[in-house]
Amino acid sequence: IVGAGPAGLAASLSANMAKVKYTCLEQTSLGGTVYNFPRQKVVMSHPANLPGIGPMKFASNKVSKEELLQYWEKVRKKANLSIVENVKFESLEKVGDIFKVKTSLGQMSAKKVLLCMGVRGSPRRLGLKNEDSTKVAYNLLDPEQYQGKHVTVVGGGNAGVEAAQRLAESKYKNKVILLVRGQGFDRCNEENKNIIEAMEKKGLIQIWFESSVKQIESTKLVISRKTGDTEIPNDFLFVFAGAEMPFKFLMSIGIQIDKAFGDKKVRANA
């Protein structure tokens, strides 16, 4: 089983129930994508069931990243799950009826391989010069690290809007600008939209629609806006432009992918 996020955890529990010998590989830590979410991010708002465990019971419907990871760790110990962390899945090859799985720890053999990888580990980049500088990040783990800074956040989806909310909290005294490519918030939920708009009314953040980063410099950014290019001071740039689906990698290990464009499908053969 590749990945120890929600899908990998459920698969591991199901394998336990079926008394099937398995190993779950995770390139980071238990939780996968959830582990890399910002502190105190709400990650669940509806009840869910785990195979062999039953309903995940919490005091309220809204569950934070920390609460969920703590719960999963208890489940891991209770079920004695075979999860190996900090191991990267690199490739696989089928030899007869057996898969030879190449990992950062060496080769493993398996009759079946479940890919529960997700896409969080491959953020979509802007494709700009200097994007590899240390001031550019693609996730926000701890907003307390950023105080009294000029911060720009790219992205009008939930991830970008939530990061902007945390960075713009008054106690951090940051000057935060949120860049949204479209004319409005069409990729985030209503709650996040209301929160960020209320923060703008309080003067805690600026929201610039129909805007994007044109140039990255050590102490500033050049922003492309409807009214023309604008230079702004900048210490940190957070990019939440979605993720690159691992199509190329999956095709390299022999998986066929159907890409849908409207009603038409084009088969991509490995």
Side-chain angles (χ1 to χ4, degrees):
I1 301 169
V2 180
L9 180 64
S12 298
L13 288 167
S14 297
N16 257 12
M17 291 175 63
K19 297 183 179 179
V20 174
K21 186 179 179 181
Y22 70 95
T23 300
C24 180
L25 306 178
E26 170 54 50
Q27 65 178 350
T28 55
S29 297
L30 174 64
T33 295
V34 175
Y35 179 82
N36 290 309
F37 281 162
R39 288 195 312 152
Q40 298 302 315
K41 174 180 170 64
V42 174
V43 294
M44 285 179 59
S45 58
H46 297 281
N49 288 301
L50 287 177
I53 300 296
M56 290 190 280
K57 298 178 180 179
F58 295 96
S60 63
N61 285 332
K62 292 187 177 180
V63 182
S64 71
K65 159 193 169 178
E66 288 77 10
E67 291 174 310
L68 188 59
L69 290 178
Q70 187 178 44
Y71 181 86
W72 282 349
E73 185 60 42
K74 290 180 180 178
V75 168
R76 174 189 191 175
K77 292 178 179 178
K78 180 180 179 180
N80 193 27
L81 296 179
S82 178
I83 298 176
V84 184
E85 297 171 303
N86 301 309
V87 178
K88 188 174 182 180
F89 167 67
E90 296 178 348
S91 66
L92 62 77
E93 178 185 6
K94 194 170 186 180
V95 180
D97 293 330
I98 302 297
F99 287 102
K100 299 296 183 180
V101 182
K102 184 179 178 183
T103 77
S104 56
L105 281 184
Q107 184 170 281
M108 306 173 69
S109 297
K111 291 183 179 179
K112 296 183 184 295
V113 178
L114 299 183
L115 300 181
C116 306
M117 298 158 50
V119 297
R120 181 78 175 187
S122 304
R124 183 173 290 115
R125 296 168 62 87
L126 300 177
L128 297 175
K129 183 180 177 182
N130 299 325
E131 194 170 351
D132 291 328
S133 66
T134 56
K135 68 182 283 182
V136 182
Y138 302 89
N139 63 359
L140 174 66
L141 294 179
D142 188 356
E144 289 186 0
Q145 297 179 25
Y146 311 94
Q147 299 191 33
K149 303 296 184 180
H150 290 276
V151 182
T152 301
V153 179
V154 174
N158 286 316
V161 172
E162 289 172 5
Q165 290 171 14
R166 288 168 173 79
L167 289 164
E169 289 181 28
S170 58
K171 61 183 177 181
Y172 298 137
K173 299 180 180 178
N174 292 316
K175 294 185 181 299
V176 181
I177 297 176
L178 174 62
L179 305 181
V180 181
R181 183 176 293 275
Q183 297 179 356
F185 292 111
D186 56 1
R187 295 191 300 110
C188 74
N189 60 45
E190 193 68 19
E191 182 179 9
N192 277 329
K193 175 178 177 292
N194 292 338
I195 291 173
I196 202 71
E197 288 177 346
M199 293 181 76
E200 184 182 36
K201 289 180 181 178
K202 292 179 181 178
L204 296 173
I205 190 171
Q206 295 183 58
I207 303 173
W208 291 3
F209 293 107
E210 297 182 85
S211 61
S212 60
V213 180
K214 184 175 182 179
Q215 191 173 328
I216 302 171
E217 301 294 345
S218 58
T219 60
K220 67 180 181 180
L221 298 174
V222 178
I223 307 300
S224 176
R225 305 187 68 186
K226 192 174 182 180
T227 55
D229 292 350
T230 303
E231 281 191 7
I232 59 172
N234 177 259
D235 299 305
F236 294 99
L237 171 63
F238 290 89
V239 180
F240 296 91
E244 296 287 352
M245 296 294 286
F247 290 144
K248 186 176 180 181
F249 172 73
L250 293 175
M251 291 170 65
S252 74
I253 59 176
I255 293 176
Q256 292 184 326
I257 297 172
D258 284 334
K259 295 182 179 180
F261 302 91
D263 294 326
K264 183 180 178 181
K265 287 188 176 181
V266 180
R267 179 166 290 272
N269 295 306

